[in-house]
Amino acid sequence: MLICTSLSPHHSNKIIQHSCISSWKIYGNPVSVNCEKEIKLLKETYPDMEYVATKQTSEWLNKKPLANISALISLAIERGEDLLIINSDILLKSLPE
């Protein structure tokens, strides 16, 4: 299963994001979809995460390069994988069967 998020390079508690990423790896392949400039910042803090660059953001609306949900969905379709979209600060303890 593809577990998609968009990590925040400016998250107030990076320890939480690290814990969450670790919890996701039990259930699938975690991927963060971000713009190029965010990926450069994120790789320093979260080097064990897979990143996919996107230009599909709502920066024009939010003044921040937030990845569109459609970018995450498109990635799962391209890879032919089931998709779980999750906030970067959600710890997974289990999934429904």
Side-chain angles (χ1 to χ4, degrees):
M1 175 178 2
L2 185 63
I3 300 173
C4 275
T5 194
S6 187
L7 292 174
S8 170
H10 309 292
H11 197 282
S12 61
N13 192 336
K14 291 179 178 20
I15 293 170
I16 289 175
Q17 283 194 147
H18 273 289
S19 296
C20 293
I21 292 167
S22 293
S23 77
W24 304 339
K25 290 181 177 183
I26 297 167
Y27 302 102
N29 178 34
V31 176
S32 185
V33 178
N34 296 81
C35 70
E36 290 281 351
K37 65 182 176 183
E38 285 187 334
I39 290 174
K40 289 176 185 173
L41 296 171
L42 289 162
K43 281 185 175 180
E44 296 173 16
T45 308
Y46 311 100
D48 58 339
M49 188 73 174
E50 178 184 351
Y51 297 95
V52 173
T54 186
K55 293 182 180 176
Q56 296 178 38
T57 71
S58 58
E59 188 167 16
W60 61 274
L61 180 64
N62 298 311
K63 308 296 187 245
K64 290 191 256 181
L66 303 174
N68 293 346
I69 296 293
S70 61
L72 283 67
I73 295 168
S74 294
L75 179 61
I77 291 169
E78 287 172 21
R79 293 186 178 189
E81 294 188 53
D82 291 332
L83 174 64
L84 171 63
I85 297 174
I86 191 165
N87 269 9
S88 65
D89 57 356
I90 301 293
L91 186 73
L92 279 180
K93 293 187 177 182
S94 66
L95 291 177
E97 293 186 31

